Amino acid sequence: MRTEVAIIGGGPAGLILGQLLTRAGIDNVVIEKHTREHVLGRIRAGILEWETVELLKRAGVGERMARHGIPHDGIRIAHGDQIFRIDFAELVHKRVMVWGQTEITRDLYEARDREGMPTVHEAADVTLHGIDGNAPFVTWRKDGREHRLDCDWIAGCDGFHGVSRRTIPESIRREFQRAYPFGWLGILSPTPPAAEELIYAASDRGFALCSMRRPDLSRHYIQVPLADSVDDWPDELFWEELKRRLPAEVARDLVTGPSIEKSIAPLRSFVSEPMRHGRLCLAGDAAHIVPPTGAKGLNLAASDVHYLAEALIAAHHGRTDEIDRYSERALARVWKAERFSWWMTMLLHSFPDETPFDRRIREADLDYLAASRAARTALAENYVGLPF
Ligand code: RFL
Ligand code: PHB
């Protein structure tokens, strides 16, 4: 089998890239390790920057999002019983969209099927070959057979645990990282959201976030120790703890109910440089991870593939200068989102090893944000997303 671009990983990065290339007349194949059901069952991101919304429209998957997505003009930040608003519309004249990653992925798979573009699921032992030369290829095992796909370029979109990044020689890769001493326990519940907008809450008992997917479906998170498992958190305990971290008036009106999904995700910041080596370009979580506090992961995957699609389209027309610039261009935006996500995380979470000094600094930062329009504008500018 032969194609122009082999895309490793059928998550949002790989699927959006596939759509952008297909629409530019460039042949591509997506090779995914898991079943489609498995990919669609992962509850993850919920907040899209407006540039991501525009990109999804360009990729041909804007229709259901326009009908069912919920635009938000701001977020709330709670600090103890104090609550204040970051008004995106007023401060930076932009908004974000509540539209779940599972919905985006579903639309992207359906668009791929409609356009007749090949997707391989349940590909085992995916291996990248010849990325240093001019004739790269990918092999995998499926149905007891070895398969081979020859191509011009490989897009490594296989997430943090994928194989693509590790194919770049260690002598060339530089990795930067920070692990945080807690995780987020998240639940999805068929209950109305806590408020019209998201509430990010910093409390003495730790961080909490009240988010949503639809008017009848809420998504909530609480900061938990890394050693905890979902079995430590039956639904009643989760709701009780969430309420204790929210301002009294929000807790009082919170509607609780059964959880229909519950999972714990560790928090980490990670960047691998460069994002391109020879015929391989990395995009999305394969190259970088942000803690979810700034809602940037999926949005960074989107901006990476926007740059990468432009570069691959230029290469298709015989110009490789955009590919040469890809890593630098993508990383410039990645690092700003890393900074913002790190800052939001430091601001809103309780740290087990926090000194009294650290704590006062964090409280001063929150007070400053509540009182200063300049500080709120900086948060708003980053949250709605820096330009692609
Ligand atoms: P994904 O989604 O991990 O997809 C990678 C795909 O590659 C497959 N794969 C392989 N395929 C072939 N061969 C291999 N060897 C392979 N190894 C892996 C995997 O099965 C998978 O299908 O990466 P991608 O496409 O880069 O997308 C990144 C986003 O999924 C991620 O950044 C976001 O979900 C992060 N995130 C959020 N981002 C936002 O922008 N806004 C949010 O509100 C937001 N909230 C979140 C989040 C992530 C969370 N968790 C669980 C990590 C909330 C949470 C709780
Ligand atoms: C979500 O709804 O899953 C969500 C929203 C905002 C975040 C992280 C996750 O910062």
Side-chain angles (χ1 to χ4, degrees), residues 8-14 31-34 39 42-47 101 123 126 157-163 219 221 265 283-286 292 295-299 301:
I8 317 296
I31 303 159
E32 162 63 46
K33 178 178 179 175
H34 292 290
V39 175
R42 293 187 300 219
I43 311 292
R44 289 185 166 182
I47 301 291
Q101 179 165 332
V126 174
C157 303
D158 47 354
F160 182 68
H161 300 287
V163 290
R219 177 77 168 153
Y221 299 95
D285 281 14
K296 289 282 163 257
L298 173 58
N299 292 296

Side-chain angles (χ1 to χ4, degrees), residues 194-206:
E196 273 167 38
E197 294 178 338
L198 272 63
I199 303 175
Y200 288 80
S203 87
D204 290 345
R205 300 181 64 88

